[in-house]
Amino acid sequence: MKKLSLFLICFLQFVVFYGQGDTNQMDEEGKRHGLWRKYYNNNRVRYTGTFEHGKEVGVFKYYSASNSDYPIIVKEFEASSDLAKVSFYTPQGVLESRGMMKGKLREGKWLFYHPDGKSIMSEENYVNGKLEGDYKTFYLSGEPTEITTYKNGLLHGNYKKYSIKGFLYQDFNYANGKLNGMAVFYSRKTGDLIKKGPFKDDLRVGTWENYVDGELVSTEQPALKPDQNRDQN
């Protein structure tokens, strides 16, 4: 039995290394060229893909060390571009996300999926790896969860959040990642107005109004912190 196990190990190593005869080659300048195939220490395939004088071209497939049945990352390169189409999968082959990448940074529109691999969970936009522009998330039904915008990786602009019943229950405004401007709260269950008032740099300021059944019932003015009092003097 031990001899058989030793034979199988040697055979696998022979297949791996001998099979690299036309793979993993270098050009005259020492750059990777042609088909490349790399392996983990357990002899499972790590990735396969083709280089053209050191640059990735065509389709590259990356696998996990524990499962070689499905690639967990698929990248599609073009010789004339620094961008690549990239798709991420679970080890079981279910699509998780897809979009463009420049090196290790996301670029342009990205789609993220619910665990079914078909229903869109979020639509995001990137510039140099940072969120920029429209950002939307969705329930499994396809109805929106959040709708907002980003600037240089920070929340910037109007932000709306919806309940699973479809009611808008948060309507905020952001500037450079902080709450600024009017904020309005509604009931998740009915959509009725509950409270509204202004923010400044994540702090409640000014006059806030409280509502019951759509009617104004009280107002309040948030207490200012000592440093806020100094700012207003």
Side-chain angles (χ1 to χ4, degrees):
M1 192 68 180
K2 291 183 178 179
K3 291 183 178 180
L4 179 60
S5 299
L6 181 61
F7 170 79
L8 289 174
I9 292 173
C10 293
F11 177 75
L12 287 172
Q13 291 177 339
F14 172 81
V15 170
V16 169
F17 291 107
Y18 184 80
Q20 292 182 358
D22 294 327
T23 63
N24 299 5
Q25 301 296 305
M26 300 285 190
D27 65 10
E28 296 80 2
E29 297 180 355
K31 297 179 180 179
R32 287 177 287 185
H33 189 68
L35 177 64
W36 269 67
R37 183 181 293 111
K38 298 292 285 185
Y39 295 85
Y40 291 104
N41 291 334
N42 62 4
N43 292 331
R44 288 188 180 276
V45 176
R46 183 174 180 180
Y47 76 81
T48 62
T50 302
F51 289 88
E52 187 171 309
H53 302 294
K55 179 175 174 56
E56 300 100 327
V57 294
V59 177
F60 272 66
K61 295 182 179 181
Y62 301 81
Y63 298 83
S64 73
S66 60
N67 186 347
S68 300
D69 294 335
Y70 304 97
I72 56 174
I73 305 174
V74 175
K75 295 184 178 181
E76 299 179 44
F77 295 91
E78 294 184 8
S80 60
S81 174
D82 291 331
L83 293 171
K85 293 181 180 179
V86 182
S87 299
F88 288 88
Y89 299 85
T90 68
Q92 292 73 40
V94 180
L95 181 62
E96 291 185 317
S97 62
R98 60 184 174 90
M100 304 293 290
M101 294 188 77
K102 186 175 183 180
K104 295 183 179 181
L105 300 178
R106 293 191 180 102
E107 193 73 25
K109 183 177 180 178
W110 272 74
L111 297 177
F112 294 79
Y113 294 85
H114 284 284
D116 64 1
K118 299 177 181 179
S119 306
I120 296 175
M121 184 168 61
S122 68
E123 294 181 6
E124 306 175 7
N125 290 276
Y126 290 84
V127 174
N128 294 325
K130 293 184 178 181
L131 287 165
E132 182 79 23
D134 293 342
Y135 176 97
K136 301 176 182 178
T137 63
F138 303 90
Y139 289 106
L140 189 58
S141 64
E143 294 300 314
T145 306
E146 298 171 291
I147 299 177
T148 188
T149 55
Y150 277 80
K151 181 179 180 181
N152 197 32
L154 299 174
L155 280 165
H156 190 82
N158 185 248
Y159 170 95
K160 287 181 166 62
K161 191 166 187 176
Y162 297 85
S163 70
I164 196 168
K165 291 184 176 182
F167 293 114
L168 172 66
Y169 71 92
Q170 291 180 355
D171 189 353
F172 300 160
N173 291 281
Y174 284 86
N176 299 315
K178 293 185 177 182
L179 285 163
N180 277 281
M182 186 62 65
V184 186
F185 296 83
Y186 302 89
S187 168
R188 293 188 185 192
K189 296 181 179 180
T190 65
D192 291 339
L193 177 62
I194 295 176
K195 182 190 293 284
K196 66 179 180 178
F199 274 95
K200 182 178 180 181
D201 294 335
D202 279 345
L203 297 173
R204 295 201 305 163
V205 296
T207 301
W208 279 69
E209 300 176 347
N210 300 304
Y211 291 80
V212 174
D213 295 330
E215 293 189 4
L216 178 65
V217 294
S218 66
T219 61
E220 58 183 291
Q221 294 205 342
L224 297 179
K225 295 181 179 180
D227 56 340
Q228 289 180 273
N229 285 313
R230 285 196 299 269
D231 292 339
Q232 295 191 5
N233 290 334

